């Protein structure tokens, strides 16, 4: 077997080692290494709705890179591509409970949804903390998938965390923060493609085989099968293969325009993401859709997969204001 | 030949296409597409020292991603791994000249140094604008290299752009801004490694061959040869192979500690960079070196090369204050 080319110590310790790196690099955060939960240093924030998320590791900076003021209060790190266990979510929920309730932001994968539900039940029985869960399911590529009933939660999760985080930071109550989170999910759509497979450290070889000259449209962030394999296309064609299904799924025209998010899957460099952004810009202009805000970079990745995803979010006054609000996390930071 | 797996339209148009993407994603910047210069939208800023940098493309976000208040006033984009031409630097210098002179931040590669020098001479003859150039040469790996006499300029360039940019933003005169830039270069050291080669689009195949099971220590950001090939090491050993030569080259102990910068080469995902950061943290603690600030992510890349570099910068009160000052660019943004 070819040796795996990764900067790690041992496949069994990748998540623990990376969390120690997060703690060392970001002293403003507090990392519970036993539970594998990354907290805001000042959690719980009294009177503020607490926001937690989490999921399998391998999608960095999602979720720990989005912990900080104006975004998440805590993130639970599962093993690579494996849901955290309910105990982690219980510890996170209790640790961010400032008396105003806690929002769980959950990507729609069967294990994550089930474990967050169990955690909410445990917390309700234990301490009576009010919890509302919002499940993201923005991926238009496939209806059901390897680990999902319904659509998968992908890029819009980053935007939910930012925008609902801003709503919580300005003191909105739990029901309203949850409503904002649901609105972002309802107004957002995504689709991705892979040029190469990522390699799970414990597996030691690529998750799937993607021959030279082919790419996979509609790929999931764990390498789950997408819609179809096609010959490698140029950036303009590739962008159209992602944007067209998104625009077919929701009317993005009019209003206050969209947030256009071109995301790297982990091994695709920024120069290529800007080439794709330019094509998205051209396609949206043709479709009469205005780009009001943008985000370009690797924010929800799939280990060392090469490829990209595109997320569009339909904006209104409220979402624009909350997107622009200050945020101070390792991976998104402005105005603070 | 295996097909190249990149999200591009045509190897000949990558830089132009990416610059159109930068313009579309960042309307607060102004892009001169003829000259391939990215400017702050408000350049020239009257009375402020102008900072420009530039170099071959393929290292994104360096340099265009660092244009904005508190950092660069303009960045010149050459072809992939090819210095911009003097005309570009002349356009940039004139475009950022607010009457207080212009600093050229130049990575030590023969073509870049020569072309920035020619541009400074042209500008001096044309308009009398005062220009000072500061050349970065922080790479301890090799003395001379494929494109360099002396050491190569790598990771410290990002830190020079940030810190000198802050000095200019607070109104320091050209000589002092240049002195700060030189101090950062003098106090900074870097070394990198590659797990895989990047692929230049126009070449269509990897720049060098790096067999399974091997990595290259001291690699340059254009794939220039490093110090030696070694069997793939774990993250702890790899970090030590980079940190030891850095610590042997400059005494980093005492004082106000260091800024520790773990940089991704383009195709290495963030989870691995945090694993490396943890090892750097352990090594520095053993060496009695305190980490006062940190930066983790892909900031100076080499297309789709997998690997990382480590940069340490010895801090003092002045450098700490300028590092912490507000910055508002596509790739570094805080407090603004």
């Amino acid at each position: 077997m070819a040796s795996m080319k990764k900067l790690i110590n041992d496949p069994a310790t990748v998540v623990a080692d990376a969390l120690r790196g997060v703690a060392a690099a970001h002293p403003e955060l507090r990392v519970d290494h036993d539970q594998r939960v990354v907290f805001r240093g000042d959690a719980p924030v009294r009177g503020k709705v607490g926001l937690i998320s989490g999921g399998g590791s391998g999608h960095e900076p999602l979720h720990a890179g989005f912990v900080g003021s104006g975004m998440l209060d805590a993130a639970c790190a599962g093993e690579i591509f494996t849901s955290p266990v309910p105990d982690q979510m219980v510890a996170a929920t209790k640790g961010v409970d400032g008396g105003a309730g806690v929002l769980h932001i959950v990507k729609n994968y069967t294990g994550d949804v089930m474990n967050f539900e169990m955690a909410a039940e445990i917390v309700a029985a234990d301490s009576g903390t009010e919890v509302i869960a919002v499940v993201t399911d923005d991926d238009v590529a496939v209806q059901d998938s390897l680990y999902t009933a319904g659509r998968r939660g992908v890029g819009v999760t980053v935007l939910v965390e930012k925008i609902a985080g801003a709503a919580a930071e300005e003191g909105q109550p739990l029901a309203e923060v949850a409503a904002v989170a649901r609105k972002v999910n309802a107004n957002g759509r995504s689709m991705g493609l892979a040029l190469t497979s990522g390699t799970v450290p414990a597996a030691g070889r690529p998750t799937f085989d993607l021959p030279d000259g082919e790419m996979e449209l509609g790929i999931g962030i764990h390498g789950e099968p997408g819609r179809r394999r096609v010959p490698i296309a140029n950036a303009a064609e590739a962008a159209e293969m992602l944007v067209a299904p998104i625009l077919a799924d929701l009317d993005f025209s009019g209003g206050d325009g969209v947030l256009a998010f071109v995301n790297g899957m982990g091994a695709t460099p920024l120069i290529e993401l800007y080439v794709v952004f330019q094509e998205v810009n051209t396609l949206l202009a043709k479709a009469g859709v205005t780009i009001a805000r943008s985000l370009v970079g690797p924010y929800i990745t799939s280990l060392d997969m090469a490829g990209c995803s595109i997320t569009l979010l339909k904006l209104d006054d409220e979402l624009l204001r909350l997107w622009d609000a200050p945020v101070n996390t390792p991976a998104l930071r402005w105005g603070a």
Side-chain angles (χ1 to χ4, degrees), chain A:
Chain A
M1 190 178 75
S3 69
M4 179 171 47
K5 291 206 149 183
K6 285 186 190 293
L7 292 165
I8 62 173
N9 289 315
D10 181 325
T13 65
V14 172
V15 175
D17 290 352
L19 285 175
R20 276 196 287 272
V22 168
H26 306 291
E28 71 281 11
L29 304 178
R30 180 165 49 81
V31 180
D32 178 337
H33 293 286
D34 291 332
Q35 291 286 359
R36 298 191 179 173
V37 180
V38 177
F39 289 97
R40 278 175 67 155
D42 59 355
V45 181
R46 185 91 347 236
K48 189 184 87 69
V49 171
L51 267 71
I52 76 166
S53 190
S57 294
H59 307 301
E60 292 69 23
L62 190 83
H63 298 273
F66 301 130
V67 174
S69 68
M71 215 160 164
L72 296 178
D73 293 85
C76 308
E79 278 300 325
I80 301 286
F81 292 177
T82 303
S83 174
V85 296
D87 276 0
Q88 294 177 266
M89 296 139 177
V90 169
T93 303
K94 291 182 174 177
V96 309
D97 178 6
V102 177
L103 185 73
H104 286 181
I105 299 172
V106 187
K107 301 193 300 300
N108 188 34
Y109 299 96
T110 309
D112 295 77
V113 171
M114 190 177 66
N115 289 347
F116 269 104
E117 279 176 3
M118 286 179 60
E121 286 168 19
I122 293 168
V123 171
D126 267 15
S127 62
T129 300
E130 190 183 3
V131 170
I132 299 181
V134 171
V135 177
T136 60
D137 60 352
D138 53 307
D139 189 339
V140 303
V142 293
Q143 185 51 37
D144 299 306
S145 184
L146 202 49
Y147 310 113
T148 329
R151 286 178 168 181
R152 301 173 299 215
V154 288
V156 92
T157 313
V158 177
L159 312 182
V160 168
E161 292 178 4
K162 168 64 185 83
I163 290 173
E169 202 71 38
E170 65 179 35
Q172 294 193 28
L174 180 59
E176 290 180 30
V177 174
V180 164
R182 282 194 203 98
K183 182 160 86 171
V184 174
N185 185 58
N187 283 5
R189 296 289 188 277
S190 302
M191 188 158 151
L193 65 83
L195 299 178
T196 68
S197 170
T199 296
V200 175
R205 54 189 161 63
T207 303
F208 56 93
D209 182 49
L210 194 45
D212 275 343
E214 291 186 21
M215 63 186 200
E216 181 150 337
L217 283 175
I219 196 82
I221 56 171
H222 312 95
E224 313 92 292
R227 284 190 177 187
R228 58 198 165 99
R229 298 270 170 104
V230 297
I232 289 222
N234 70 22
E237 295 157 348
E240 183 153 27
M241 290 183 221
L242 300 182
V243 168
I246 290 172
L247 293 182
D249 205 77
L250 187 69
D251 179 9
F252 283 92
S253 62
D256 293 300
V258 300
L259 188 160
F261 170 24
V262 172
N263 174 63
M265 285 295 192
T268 286
L270 196 55
I271 191 169
E272 296 180 37
L273 300 181
Y274 277 110
V275 170
V276 172
F277 193 91
Q278 156 58 11
E279 299 305 333
V280 172
N281 183 53
T282 301
L283 291 163
L284 293 182
K286 274 187 204 153
V289 175
T290 306
I291 297 179
R293 294 293 183 276
S294 64
L295 186 66
V296 184
Y299 291 101
I300 168 171
T301 62
S302 182
L303 293 168
D304 52 349
M305 181 191 281
C308 72
S309 64
I310 294 170
T311 299
L312 298 183
L313 171 65
K314 191 167 182 170
L315 293 165
D316 61 18
D317 277 358
E318 179 188 37
L319 299 187
L320 268 170
R321 177 175 56 79
L322 294 170
W323 176 257
D324 289 342
V327 60
N328 188 1
T329 72
L332 274 190
R333 207 169 161 195
W334 57 72

